[in-house]
Amino acid sequence: MSTRDLLQHSQTIAVVGLSPDESRDSHRISRYMQAQGYRIIPINPRASRILGEVAYPDLQAAAAQHRIDLVNGFRRSEDIPPIAREAVAIGARGLWLQLGIEHDEAAEWARAHGKVYKTKEELVLRRSIFAANVAKINAHNGSAAGWKMAVNKFADLTADEFKTRFASGYRAHEKRSKNVNLALLRSNVSALPTSVDWTTKGAVTPVKNQGQCGSCWAFSTTGSVEGISFISTGTLPDVSEQQLVDCSGAEGNQGCNGGLMDYGFEYIIKNKGICSETAYPYKGVDGKCKATTCGAAAATITGYTDVPTNSETALLTAAAQQPVSVAVEADQSSVQFYTSGVMAAACGTSLDHGVLVVG
């Protein structure tokens, strides 16, 4: 339940004891809540004087006289676990973390992203990782780099954790392509457009979220198929990643344990198409193949070729023709926290994540 929901469904709020400096903002907000009709139960003498209510020595004593819906008023991270246990013990709906006058970016970020840590040790660890990542992001954004990082929902993860959870689904070592398009190497780069953005041309569906399933390869596959379908027909389909996760094992893919875009293309060719996202929605877990019950194909392809490796000319030429499935090394902060601009950083060669080049 969100803080807003907690407040909307609460009538009695207990304000726990704080030092004068730490409690000032909490008491100001408590007075405001009091004016809105909430019953505020102070747990320390100073709050009692400010709010004009009888103070109780502790939450248990307050709960013996009142039904406490919500507990508020603590700031330090080490206070959270014991007060949380007390709130549970008295049957309160939850905790409202009013952080007082000191800005606490980690706590605000945790609330915004719904992060809940079960132990004090986990809380301390995640706050430490968050602080290190924020420092890294600020240092980068203060440099002369032409692209920016931002604090996002991955900010309490180390690079290794980010890779394990979100960037480990590409299985590059499992196949050597036999469909390399060598003609791309002979392209006249000067004849190519100075810029191409397939998102503005209508050839790319909105950004999708694979969750913690290692299905990046499926999303990369569908992006290319959707793009070439738009270029060929003028209509942009939204096709099913889940169908590839569930149904392309015979071609060599391993569902949420990883796969290869080539295998995804081969499945679509053999299956004579792929269903729509609506007909076969994404679940983010391995499931039983339902290809026979998802209706008519939303898109089809008759073949595919691979871009020659280690050639910017080849990739530029391919991207000028259509959106292209590629793999990147995503286990680095430049990818974990990227937000805008043209990235000019060491890209790495340990490919672990399938994505889509859209221009």
Side-chain angles (χ1 to χ4, degrees):
M1 183 177 285
S2 68
T3 298
R4 179 175 295 179
D5 290 335
L6 284 170
L7 290 171
Q8 287 177 344
H9 294 90
S10 301
Q11 294 180 337
T12 308
I13 300 173
V15 179
V16 304
L18 293 170
S19 68
D21 288 342
E22 292 172 347
S23 62
R24 185 182 307 144
D25 218 32
S26 183
H27 290 163
R28 177 179 61 80
I29 292 178
S30 295
R31 287 196 299 271
Y32 171 80
M33 299 300 296
Q34 201 175 32
Q36 304 304 307
Y38 290 86
R39 181 72 185 276
I40 308 296
I41 307 299
I43 312 297
N44 70 332
R46 186 171 186 274
S48 175
R49 292 193 298 272
I50 292 173
L51 299 171
E53 293 276 356
V54 175
Y56 288 88
D58 53 43
L59 282 172
Q60 293 288 352
Q65 299 294 323
H66 305 276
R67 190 193 76 185
I68 305 297
D69 292 318
L70 196 60
V71 178
N72 173 44
F74 52 91
R75 182 190 63 141
R76 296 173 303 176
S77 62
E78 56 266 31
D79 293 337
I80 296 175
I83 294 176
R85 287 192 292 270
E86 291 180 39
V88 171
I90 66 173
R93 292 174 182 268
L95 304 172
W96 170 31
L97 278 67
Q98 172 53 41
L99 300 174
I101 59 175
E102 181 176 307
H103 178 66
D104 190 330
E105 185 177 5
E108 291 182 1
W109 173 87
R111 289 199 306 279
H113 292 279
K115 298 285 186 173
V116 177
Y117 305 119
K118 296 181 179 180
T119 66
K120 176 182 177 180
E121 291 74 19
E122 177 74 1
L123 176 68
V124 171
L125 172 64
R126 293 301 158 191
R127 287 176 69 93
S128 174
I129 294 170
F130 177 87
N133 283 333
V134 169
K136 184 186 302 182
I137 291 166
N138 290 339
H140 169 82
N141 290 342
S143 70
W147 55 283
K148 297 295 184 182
M149 293 183 183
V151 176
N152 56 27
K153 66 181 181 181
F154 308 121
D156 65 343
L157 301 177
T158 66
D160 286 342
E161 289 171 328
F162 176 76
K163 175 181 179 178
T164 299
R165 298 185 192 184
F166 301 104
S168 59
Y170 178 70
R171 299 286 182 255
H173 61 281
E174 295 184 359
K175 178 176 179 177
R176 300 293 296 178
S177 176
K178 298 179 181 179
N179 298 316
V180 178
N181 185 352
L182 297 177
L184 295 172
L185 294 170
R186 299 188 290 273
S187 173
N188 179 5
V189 175
S190 63
L192 297 176
T194 55
S195 67
V196 174
D197 185 348
W198 289 109
T199 64
T200 62
K201 294 177 180 293
V204 182
T205 55
V207 174
K208 302 176 182 181
N209 185 352
Q210 74 182 66
Q212 294 192 35
C213 168
S215 55
C216 58
W217 57 272
F219 286 81
S220 180
T221 301
T222 59
S224 289
V225 171
E226 291 163 348
I228 195 60
S229 295
F230 172 82
I231 293 167
S232 301
T233 68
T235 300
L236 178 64
D238 187 356
V239 302
S240 173
E241 292 79 23
Q242 191 66 44
Q243 184 176 350
L244 293 175
V245 170
D246 293 345
C247 305
S248 63
E251 285 68 37
N253 287 321
Q254 301 173 39
C256 286
N257 290 320
L260 192 64
M261 289 79 87
D262 290 43
Y263 296 156
F265 297 139
E266 290 173 7
Y267 166 79
I268 295 171
I269 294 168
K270 292 178 184 177
N271 192 59
K272 296 182 171 56
I274 185 168
C275 291
S276 70
E277 175 70 24
T278 301
Y280 203 145
Y282 187 67
K283 302 297 184 183
V285 294
D286 292 323
K288 183 178 179 181
C289 182
K290 304 178 182 66
T292 58
T293 61
C294 62
T300 60
I301 57 173
T302 57
Y304 70 95
T305 59
D306 287 332
V307 178
T309 59
N310 302 317
S311 172
E312 291 188 3
T313 295
L315 184 56
L316 280 169
T317 305
Q321 297 172 6
Q322 67 178 87
V324 181
S325 293
V326 300
V328 297
E329 182 178 347
D331 61 335
Q332 43 192 333
S333 58
S334 56
V335 175
Q336 185 174 349
F337 301 117
Y338 169 85
T339 188
S340 64
V342 178
M343 187 186 295
C347 297
T349 57
S350 300
L351 306 181
D352 53 25
H353 191 49
V355 294
L356 188 69
V357 171
V358 297

